Amino acid sequence: ETGVTQTPRHLVMGMTNKKSLKCEQHLGHNAMYWYKQSAKKPLELMFVYSLEERVENNSVPSRFSPECPNSSHLFLHLHTLQPEDSALYLCASSQDLTSRPEENYGYTFGSGTRLTVV
Amino acid sequence: AQSVSQHNHHVILSEAASLELGCNYSYGGTVNLFWYVQYPGQHLQLLLKYFSGDPLVKGIKGFEAEFIKSKFSFNLRKPSVQWSDTAEYFCAVNDPDTDKLIFGTGTRLQVFP
């Protein structure tokens, strides 16, 4: 375990379903991230939260809705997804959004949720 | 905006062969550079990182990377690969404007016994 836990590990959903992905970290980190990993494409940053406040939304469709109720938990709510949204969704955390390099800068990733939209 | 290029998409090697994976970034100023590895079915984990100082960085599992500022490169190397090195390798650089990590497309490494 990395310290960042994602559930579920696998999810299959229909295009009309509503589901949520969960991410939990108890590393004392203040920043959390959602990434989308598709085959043959760079990791795509979707959302960034710092101290429970969303600081970035990289033009993600509104069918993806993040929620950060506290610094340890991050959710990604999904509704009316498309088949092209099938991918591995990764959660990551870091000490702070603007950590100094000499500190433990670097992301801790969860194992991801493999999402298939049918 | 910062960008990262990994030109080798798929590399196949035999055990004991030497490895070099290319990584180039676009920003000309001070950058922090990272290599992450993702073993099959596992999470992304940090392999090594460069912030400043010695441009030759040693990482875990015998990996090293060399930062060459003039070439905007941070290539990953290992003198002798093992079957267990089969994984996907991602280069990343922080974007100094946003302080976020920008990842490359990844290189899939397959090592055959």
Side-chain angles (χ1 to χ4, degrees), chain A residues 13-112:
Chain A
M13 59 186 288
M15 289 190 283
T16 58
N17 291 158
K18 288 185 180 181
K19 297 287 184 184
S20 296
L21 310 185
K22 181 181 176 182
C23 177
E24 187 173 351
Q25 60 91 7
H26 295 289
L27 301 170
H29 289 173
N30 294 316
M32 296 185 77
Y33 312 81
W34 278 117
Y35 277 88
K36 177 182 178 182
Q37 186 179 19
S38 305
K40 299 181 181 178
K41 294 175 71 175
L43 276 166
E44 301 170 55
L45 180 63
M46 299 176 71
F47 300 104
V48 181
Y49 276 82
S50 176
L51 297 172
E52 303 142 48
E53 181 179 337
R54 189 193 305 183
V55 298
E56 185 158 332
N57 171 0
N58 282 340
S59 302
V60 179
S62 59
R63 56 186 184 268
F64 295 91
S65 174
E67 179 190 1
C68 188
N70 56 62
S71 60
S72 299
H73 294 87
L74 185 66
F75 295 90
L76 187 63
H77 303 300
L78 317 170
H79 65 98
T80 60
L81 294 192
Q82 304 297 311
E84 59 263 29
D85 296 322
S86 297
L88 182 68
Y89 288 84
L90 293 169
C91 175
S93 69
S94 65
Q95 184 63 49
D96 292 290
L97 196 58
T98 55
S99 294
R100 293 184 303 169
E102 60 268 28
E103 294 172 359
N104 188 25
Y105 190 90
Y107 291 8
T108 301
F109 282 87
S111 300

Side-chain angles (χ1 to χ4, degrees), chain B residues 10-14 17-19 21 81 107-112:
Chain B
H10 190 187
V11 173
I12 299 174
L13 295 173
S14 299
S18 64
L19 170 72
L21 302 182
V81 294
T107 297
R108 184 180 172 210
L109 172 66
Q110 278 185 292
V111 180
F112 289 92

